[in-house]
């Protein structure tokens, strides 16, 4: 079997659920407690797509790092970027839209960037109407697990050349 290794970075403000998404995807667990990430945490999960083993290196970057220039370094060599916001906090959505349009799509053009609106389990119709749905790639809930595996799977599929 073919084996490839890809780096995926998760970005977004504090408390939007980046660590929770990784834990849900990698370990199938969820915790209501909020333990802010310090710096960066790297996790690994291997999934199989067709005849390819895809090793995903997941770089979970603390939200409070986003204001610091140091965090640019962590993006280097990223094959994929998940920009994560909290669907109940519009300011976190504005922040990732800005980050995606002004920075990721400009300085990291070669990486695939997806926008995730997390905490869909808490979202009301009013919350949904505040977001421009055309800019959203996935609505997820790390709590219920809704769409989480699907989002990572979709990302991984980009890395696999299905013609070979
Ligand atoms: N209801 C609900 N709560 C969530 C969801 N995802 C995360 N949370 C909660 O939101 C809080 C923050 O989650 P984290 O995963 O720690 O957020 P983070 O983005 O890693 O935060 P930083 O590490 O500070 O950048 C925790 O209390 C989680 O339990 C979700 O989909 N639904
Ligand atoms: Mg975290």
């Amino acid at each position: 079997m073919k084996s490839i290794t890809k780096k995926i970075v998760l970005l977004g403000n504090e408390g939007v659920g980046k660590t929770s998404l990784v834990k849900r995807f990698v370990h199938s667990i969820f915790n209501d407690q909020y333990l802010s990430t310090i710096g960066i945490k790297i996790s690994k999960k291997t999934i199989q797509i067709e005849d390819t083993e895809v090793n995903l290196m997941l770089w979970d970057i603390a939200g409070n790092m986003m204001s610091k220039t140091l965090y640019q370094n962590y993006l280097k060599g990223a094959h994929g970027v998940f920009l994560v916001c909290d669907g109940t906090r519009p300011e976190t959505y504005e922040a990732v839209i800005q980050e995606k349009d002004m920075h990721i799509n400009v300085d990291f053009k070669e990486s695939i960037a997806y926008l995730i609106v997390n905490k869909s389990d808490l979202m009301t119709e009013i919350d949904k109407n505040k977001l421009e749905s055309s800019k959203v790639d996935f609505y997820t809930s790390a709590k219920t697990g809704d769409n989480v595996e699907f989002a990572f799977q979709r990302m991984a599929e980009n890395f696999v050349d299905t013609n070979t």
Side-chain angles (χ1 to χ4, degrees), residues 15 17-20 34-38 60-63:
K18 300 176 296 296
T19 302
S20 300
Y34 177 25
L35 274 174
S36 196
T37 304
I38 296 165
D60 171 17
I61 310 223

Side-chain angles (χ1 to χ4, degrees), residues 85-145:
C85 69
D86 175 341
T88 68
R89 287 191 289 148
E91 72 280 9
T92 68
Y93 168 79
E94 296 301 333
V96 284
I97 291 278
Q98 166 112 357
E99 182 67 16
K100 186 167 187 253
D101 293 345
M102 310 287 282
H103 183 214
I104 304 297
N105 287 347
V106 178
D107 298 322
F108 297 92
K109 277 202 280 286
E110 65 289 348
S111 60
I112 293 153
Y114 284 137
L115 198 143
I116 289 186
V117 176
N118 188 42
K119 307 199 187 181
S120 60
D121 59 290
L122 298 176
M123 286 176 77
T124 62
E125 273 312 303
I126 296 164
D127 290 323
K128 285 192 184 128
N129 291 336
K130 285 182 186 159
L131 313 179
E132 222 178 305
S133 57
S134 64
K135 295 196 170 180
V136 178
D137 294 294
F138 304 102
Y139 290 90
T140 61
S141 169
K143 183 165 187 166
T144 67

